[in-house]
């Protein structure tokens, strides 16, 4: 199981699909699983049930997915703010795709499907999440670059190497 976390716009879904393709496993997005299970879009869930209710569904879904088959799993950007999610992530390989606030906003634009973008305190939300991201991540990869480059960086960080590069090894001097 490889879990991708990071703020909206970090490229978790795009990179996750590429990563799964390279590793020959399935890709699952926790938001897509929630939508499929409940028959409502994320925006509809926020609007009709509220964020707290969405966070409970999100935590349940992630817990279930983590117990399932080995996949590349991308989590919604706010998932790790829920303590129960942080708890079930323990022991998993969790890669933080790191993205700056301005870059994240530029990438997601005015997406009505992302209700958190309507928050006036979004910068504070972003700042508050950095600690949760850092606590959960077992590896951090910059999301700057093409999706293919970022995917290669993730694979390298996970020890899958990069075509054409040789992993650095300590130099052993033989006598
Ligand atoms: C959210 C991020 C979204 C989605 C929901 C809430 C957040 O996922 O889970 O809209 O709180 O940052 P992405 O990070 O995939 O956009």
């Amino acid at each position: 199981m490889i879990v991708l976390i990071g703020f909206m716009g970090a490229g978790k879904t795009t990179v996750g699909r590429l990563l799964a393709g390279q590793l020959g496993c399935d890709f699952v997005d926790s938001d897509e699983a929630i939508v499929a299970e409940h028959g409502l879009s994320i925006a509809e869930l926020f609007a009709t049930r509220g964020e707290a209710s969405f966070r409970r569904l999100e935590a349940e879904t992630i817990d279930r997915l983590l117990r399932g088959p080995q996949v590349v799993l991308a989590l919604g950007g706010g998932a790790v703010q829920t303590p129960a999610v942080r708890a079930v992530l323990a022991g998993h390989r969790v890669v933080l795709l790191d993205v700056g606030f301005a870059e994240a906003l530029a990438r997601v634009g005015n997406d009505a499907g992302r209700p958190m973008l309507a928050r006036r305190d979004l910068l504070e939300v972003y700042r508050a999440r950095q600690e949760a991201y850092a606590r959960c991540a077992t590896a951090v990869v910059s999301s700057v670059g093409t999706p293919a480059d970022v995917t290669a960086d993730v694979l390298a960080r996970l020890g899958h190497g990069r075509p054409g590069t040789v992993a650095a090894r300590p130099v052993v001097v033989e006598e």
Side-chain angles (χ1 to χ4, degrees), residues 60-76:
E60 284 166 20
T61 300
I62 291 168
D63 182 38
R64 180 169 46 77
L65 291 171
L66 286 174
R67 293 165 195 271
Q70 297 286 320
V71 295
V72 174
L73 173 64
L75 305 190

Side-chain angles (χ1 to χ4, degrees), residues 8 12 31 42 46 54-55 58 76-78 114-116 129:
M8 292 175 279
K12 302 178 293 284
D31 284 336
I42 300 295
F46 265 71
F54 169 76
R55 297 297 173 198
E58 183 177 47
R114 286 180 161 114
M116 290 298 288
R129 284 183 182 172

Side-chain angles (χ1 to χ4, degrees), residues 125-143:
V125 172
Y126 173 86
R127 287 198 178 123
R129 284 183 182 172
Q130 299 311 306
E131 197 202 329
Y133 290 144
R135 276 166 66 181
C136 294
T138 55
V140 182
V141 171
S142 166
S143 74

